[in-house]
Amino acid sequence: RDPATVVDPELRLVFKHQGGYATLERADAAAAAQGGSGQDEPRFRPYDGLVHGVVYRLTRADFDKLVKKEGGYVVQPVQVQTYDGHVCTALAFVSNPLFKLPQEVSPTEQYLAKVREGAADNYLDPNYQAFLSGISTVTGAGLGAQYYNTPSKYMGYSFLLLVGLITVAFFAQH
């Protein structure tokens, strides 16, 4: 495992995954979603504008196990540069559009504590750790609708409505 940064400066860490979890998003996509011109600042601005993280080398079997545990994400290749200068392609978990929130939200205390702990345990840049420490959080209890207002929610409601209509039609025929 190696500390690294995402090479593409347009990729940002945002808290727009269902439940207030993190994902990567292009800066121009974030501005377009907010109706901006690309001049808007991200809600939580990193000190250098780069996303920092850790690159892990995994076996295929271990990676497949991880994919099964990460609900609502898709795997995308991302160019990263380790702190010692090595550039490689990593596979990153990015929100599936069905699980992506329309607006950024504050992460939960418990979730961000794990992110901060991982950053410290892997010796990420101290300035980036300070950035993570400056992100405001919310308690995990009683999250509002804005944390679950994703297309997958509406697909679930549509499915329930469809099942209800089929049930009514079945009983109406008999």
Side-chain angles (χ1 to χ4, degrees):
R1 64 183 182 186
D2 289 301
T5 58
V6 174
V7 172
D8 185 348
E10 292 299 312
L11 285 178
R12 300 279 188 248
L13 175 73
V14 294
F15 297 93
K16 291 179 76 172
H17 186 81
Q18 187 175 48
Y21 295 103
T23 189
L24 295 175
E25 179 179 77
R26 297 197 78 61
D28 51 0
Q34 295 177 350
S37 62
Q39 302 297 325
D40 298 331
E41 290 291 321
R43 182 170 180 199
F44 305 115
R45 193 178 58 156
Y47 77 99
D48 64 359
L50 298 176
V51 177
H52 292 242
V54 182
V55 178
Y56 290 90
R57 184 180 300 256
L58 301 173
T59 65
R60 185 64 179 170
D62 286 341
F63 185 75
D64 290 342
K65 288 177 192 174
L66 187 59
V67 169
K68 289 178 184 176
K69 289 184 178 187
E70 291 295 332
Y73 289 94
V74 294
V75 176
Q76 291 186 353
V78 177
Q79 288 291 112
V80 298
Q81 181 173 356
T82 62
Y83 282 9
D84 63 6
H86 179 72
V87 177
C88 63
T89 300
L91 298 176
F93 289 91
V94 179
S95 289
N96 177 322
L98 294 176
F99 291 86
K100 194 168 182 185
L101 300 168
Q103 299 287 340
E104 191 167 16
V105 295
S106 295
T108 64
E109 292 170 4
Q110 183 179 11
Y111 173 66
L112 196 58
K114 289 178 183 178
V115 172
R116 291 171 179 156
E117 181 180 331
D121 288 349
N122 289 286
Y123 305 103
L124 293 190
D125 187 295
N127 290 323
Y128 195 74
Q129 290 186 56
F131 152 68
L132 292 173
S133 294
I135 295 174
S136 60
T137 61
V138 296
T139 62
L143 294 176
Q146 70 271 25
Y147 284 81
Y148 301 99
N149 188 21
T150 63
S152 67
K153 169 185 165 184
Y154 298 109
M155 288 179 70
Y157 289 149
S158 298
F159 176 75
L160 290 175
L161 178 63
L162 182 61
V163 168
L165 290 172
I166 290 171
T167 303
V168 168
F170 175 79
F171 286 114
Q173 288 182 351
H174 291 83

